[in-house]
Amino acid sequence: MQIEYPTTVSDAVDVLASWPDATLLSGGTDLMVEVNYRHRRLDQVVALRRIAELAEMDSAWIGAGVTHARLERSPWQGLAEAARTVGSPQIRSVGTIGGNLGTASPAGDTFPFLAAVDAAIVLRSASGVRTLPWDEFFTGPKQNARRPGELIAGVQLPEAVPARQAFAKVGRRSAMVIAIVSACVTRNEDGDVTVALGAVGPTVLRARQAEAMINAERRLTDTMLDEFQRLVADEVQPIDDIRASAAYRRHASGVLARRLLERVW
Ligand SMILES: Cc1cc2nc3c(=O)[nH]c(=O)nc-3n(C[C@H](O)[C@H](O)[C@H](O)COP(=O)(O)OP(=O)(O)OC[C@H]3O[C@@H](n4cnc5c(N)ncnc54)[C@H](O)[C@@H]3O)c2cc1C
């Protein structure tokens, strides 16, 4: 196995220009599980942890190397709440948002926030920068639009992130659990609501009809809440798997989104 330890993004993309199919290594919390189970063989590895610029974070930028432990203390409540639910303290101290995006599991806990605020994913390669809206980046279960020779540099947030955000996740126990359903609901100063859900479709998704209904009504009655819950449950695309049935996921999606809407209202 060959391994390189670049210390700048520019050096990393130069390495990737000659090793376009190299495996990128951040915290290793997903990758090393795959290697240990022999689901993945490593020939060429580019280790990213020595690249300080990947760990930069400001009011509208989250570098790919920012760990969940740092996101727990970030100013975005919906993301901080999500990061707090990831794995254990050990996982959160090394697992990164870039690795979460690289794996692109439908249950990745940072994604409902990214979808709810319309974040974009920034990719770098020797030929330049590509910025993809979240819904173009995620292409299927554990699939994303990253091309050979590219690395995920970070996440670009819109200038105005809605002030009110709430995240919650349903799992089989209260910690160290992969989501059966996760959701983030936001509300901006004009009263506009967004709703994003994870683990209930091939990729994270937005409940656009539920958003349109509540944004047209702009008031919260029990009837509105019932209708919002019904529309969310209708819009998700869950499957049966070892963690839960599709029917349970559909029901839990509506209930979770309804509770979060009440929190941000
Ligand atoms: C016990 C345990 C519990 C977990 N719990 C949760 C949980 O609750 N919620 C959750 O969402 N996840 C969970 N995970 C999964 C994992 O911790 C997260 O997905 C984490 O964010 C991965 O980040 P990492 O830096 O460790 O990625 P790595 O393992 O280093 O990489 C993951 C993938 O992304 C690629 N990659 C890494 N960095 C980049 C980059 N900059 N550009 C392009 N590709 C890149 C790698 O090649 C690899 O394919 C858990 C994992 C374990 C082992």
Side-chain angles (χ1 to χ4, degrees):
M1 183 179 79
Q2 294 173 288
I3 184 155
E4 287 286 341
Y5 300 92
T7 54
T8 64
V9 172
S10 155
D11 286 350
V13 296
D14 282 348
V15 176
L16 285 172
S18 46
W19 290 356
D21 296 318
T23 302
L24 294 163
L25 171 65
S26 290
T29 60
D30 275 326
L31 183 63
M32 295 318 295
V33 173
E34 288 189 35
V35 172
N36 289 343
Y37 280 102
R38 301 187 193 283
H39 294 159
R40 199 132 146 192
R41 204 184 117 84
L42 305 181
D43 294 320
Q44 293 171 323
V45 175
V46 182
L48 302 174
R49 277 181 70 184
R50 294 185 189 171
I51 304 179
E53 63 191 287
L54 282 182
E56 287 171 3
M57 182 161 64
D58 66 28
S59 59
W61 175 255
I62 306 169
V66 172
T67 61
H68 296 292
R70 284 181 62 207
L71 294 176
E72 283 182 73
R73 302 185 300 274
S74 72
W76 307 286
Q77 189 175 348
L79 186 58
E81 287 175 348
R84 262 173 231 140
T85 75
V86 172
S88 61
Q90 293 88 338
I91 296 292
R92 296 197 288 274
S93 73
V94 291
T96 62
I97 192 164
N100 212 214
L101 288 163
T103 297
S105 158
D109 279 322
T110 59
F111 308 155
F113 169 82
L114 300 182
V117 303
D118 277 322
I121 316 307
V122 179
L123 299 145
R124 289 265 308 264
S125 70
S127 20
V129 179
R130 227 161 44 101
T131 301
L132 296 178
W134 66 271
D135 50 350
E136 290 178 26
F137 176 79
F138 297 109
T139 53
K142 297 206 169 183
Q143 285 168 13
N144 65 50
R146 184 178 78 88
R147 295 176 182 153
E150 285 183 328
L151 60 75
I152 299 162
V155 172
Q156 187 70 54
L157 299 177
E159 268 180 33
V161 172
R164 297 187 189 187
Q165 310 151 21
F167 170 92
K169 152 175 165 183
V170 175
R172 295 182 77 166
R173 49 178 190 254
S174 58
M176 280 286 285
V177 70
I178 296 175
I180 287 173
V181 184
S182 57
C184 181
V185 176
T186 74
R187 189 162 187 249
N188 70 13
E189 284 176 1
D190 297 330
D192 295 326
V193 166
T194 66
V195 189
L197 295 114
V200 284
T203 66
V204 63
L205 53 84
R206 286 270 291 272
R208 304 270 184 197
Q209 288 172 29
E211 289 177 2
M213 184 280 289
I214 208 77
N215 290 334
E217 293 293 339
R218 296 196 180 274
R219 63 204 164 91
L220 207 61
T221 61
D222 283 345
T223 313
M224 293 292 131
L225 280 168
D226 288 346
E227 179 62 359
F228 179 79
Q229 176 176 338
R230 188 189 68 75
L231 286 170
V232 170
D234 270 2
E235 284 185 73
V236 295
Q237 306 154 33
I239 55 166
D240 292 310
D241 70 10
I242 48 160
R243 280 188 287 280
S245 66
Y248 176 77
R249 283 192 154 102
R250 193 176 286 287
H251 172 73
S253 297
V255 173
L256 200 60
R258 176 189 184 130
R259 288 182 188 166
L260 293 174
L261 178 63
E262 287 180 292
R263 260 171 61 190
V264 299
W265 199 261

